[in-house]
Amino acid sequence: YFFFSSRRRHTRQRSVSWARRCVQETGVGKGTFGKKISVDFSMPIFSTGEYLRTLVGGKETSPLIERVKKIMKEGGLLDDETIIQIIQKRLFEDEDPKNKGIIFDGFPRTIPQAVLLDKIGKVKAAVNFFNKEEILIEKLTGRRECTGCHEAYNAAIIRKDGYEMDPLMPKKDPTKCDKCDGKLIHREDDQPKAIAERLKIYKEKTLPLEKFYETKGIMKSYEPKKGVADYPWVKEEIKKIIESAQNCQSFTIQLDLI
């Protein structure tokens, strides 16, 4: 998670005064935690991918948007400099002043991106939520998704090594989504081979972020062993963060890395 606050200047730009970043392995539960944090603290969730799709499909135009359209149309990957410009646009131009903050989903993922982020804001605290790898694999292979509204469920039942996680499945019909009656599927990227590849990428590119923030002396680590049942103490941690920065006008929260 990345917690970020800033103060507005009289110009169109913001001067960033405070930030917090959380490094989290895939499968720990950022989606569930993120939705709850969003509701409890009145902070919208911002997905880099969804924002890019909105920019590309919308009527707004600018040199930045045209560059993004060209790269995406050609099937290329956006470079870090372009990504940071997208982040700046979202923070400095498109933020609703009525929001108490924002939840970032998908940035930064690498040290170069974190370094670029430091150019627009200083991260003052970092939180790492982690589980044992074998637990993550069980959780990921148990994930199910609705083909209609993309609501997430999980069929895994975990009872070992102090972990106690119940399945999160539809209450009416285990094969259909409670919200829209859509069919549940086991996504290809939640298959064992794909999970192994994702964890490999995490270790190679994202795990070093822990060391990056540890060397700054701002990293704290927590091991949620009860899944969504651990949210009460997660909420208290978020509350402490916000209270410690109540002189700032807004926050952003970064969720997950993969």
Side-chain angles (χ1 to χ4, degrees):
Y1 299 165
F2 165 66
F3 302 88
F4 177 110
S5 77
S6 61
R7 298 181 184 278
R8 289 186 182 274
R9 289 179 176 176
H10 294 297
T11 63
R12 294 182 61 193
Q13 293 292 311
R14 289 186 186 177
S15 122
V16 177
S17 59
W18 182 86
R20 176 163 183 150
R21 177 76 171 81
C22 169
V23 180
Q24 177 179 315
E25 294 173 289
T26 180
V28 173
K30 67 96 178 177
T32 301
F33 285 166
K35 290 177 182 178
K36 289 181 174 293
I37 292 170
S38 177
V39 172
D40 289 342
F41 296 99
S42 301
M43 299 182 185
I45 296 177
F46 167 58
S47 165
T48 307
E50 290 181 7
Y51 186 65
L52 286 172
R53 287 190 289 272
T54 298
L55 286 181
V56 171
K59 296 181 179 180
E60 183 181 356
T61 183
S62 71
L64 173 62
I65 294 175
E66 292 307 311
R67 184 164 77 251
V68 170
K69 286 181 178 180
K70 183 176 185 297
I71 294 173
M72 294 182 70
K73 184 177 180 180
E74 294 173 350
L77 297 176
L78 297 179
D79 59 273
D80 289 344
E81 290 286 352
T82 300
I83 289 292
I84 202 69
Q85 288 180 44
I86 293 294
I87 299 299
Q88 286 179 299
K89 173 176 169 53
R90 177 61 180 84
L91 287 176
F92 302 147
E93 298 179 17
D94 298 341
E95 174 66 1
D96 186 340
K98 295 180 181 179
N99 292 333
K100 294 182 178 179
I102 189 172
I103 299 176
F104 265 166
D105 185 349
F107 185 88
R109 293 176 183 268
T110 64
I111 288 179
Q113 290 180 352
V115 171
L116 285 172
L117 184 63
D118 278 344
K119 293 181 179 180
I120 63 170
K122 181 179 180 182
V123 177
K124 290 189 175 180
V127 176
N128 174 33
F129 289 107
F130 70 95
N131 286 160
K132 290 182 178 179
E133 185 168 312
E134 62 182 283
I135 300 297
L136 292 176
I137 292 173
E138 284 192 47
K139 290 179 66 178
L140 289 167
T141 54
R143 293 206 299 198
R144 302 292 184 271
E145 182 178 284
C146 171
T147 55
C149 65
H150 303 291
E151 181 72 9
Y153 296 93
N154 202 304
I157 302 175
I158 300 175
R159 296 280 189 278
K160 63 180 178 181
D161 298 334
Y163 287 87
E164 296 180 10
M165 299 183 182
D166 294 322
L168 298 172
M169 294 296 286
K171 297 179 180 179
K172 296 181 291 185
D173 183 336
T175 66
K176 294 182 179 180
C177 176
D178 278 338
K179 291 188 174 182
C180 72
D181 286 331
K183 180 182 177 182
L184 300 192
I185 61 169
H186 192 193
R187 299 186 331 192
E188 289 188 10
D189 59 347
D190 284 333
Q191 302 293 337
K193 184 177 180 180
I195 291 171
E197 181 62 24
R198 288 163 67 193
L199 288 173
K200 178 183 176 183
I201 293 173
Y202 171 82
K203 291 174 182 177
E204 292 176 351
K205 296 186 176 182
T206 302
L207 188 60
L209 279 175
E210 290 185 27
K211 298 297 181 182
F212 178 81
Y213 290 116
E214 282 175 358
T215 58
K216 291 176 176 287
I218 59 175
M219 172 68 76
K220 293 183 179 180
S221 295
Y222 301 97
E223 185 178 11
K225 291 188 172 184
K226 298 182 179 179
V228 68
D230 275 330
Y231 179 67
W233 68 257
V234 171
K235 180 180 177 180
E236 286 304 307
E237 287 297 310
I238 305 300
K239 184 178 179 181
K240 291 176 185 177
I241 292 165
I242 294 176
E243 289 177 347
S244 71
Q246 43 188 304
N247 291 329
C248 297
Q249 294 182 353
S250 64
F251 307 89
T252 64
I253 301 177
Q254 163 68 33
L255 295 174
D256 206 16
L257 306 170
I258 298 180

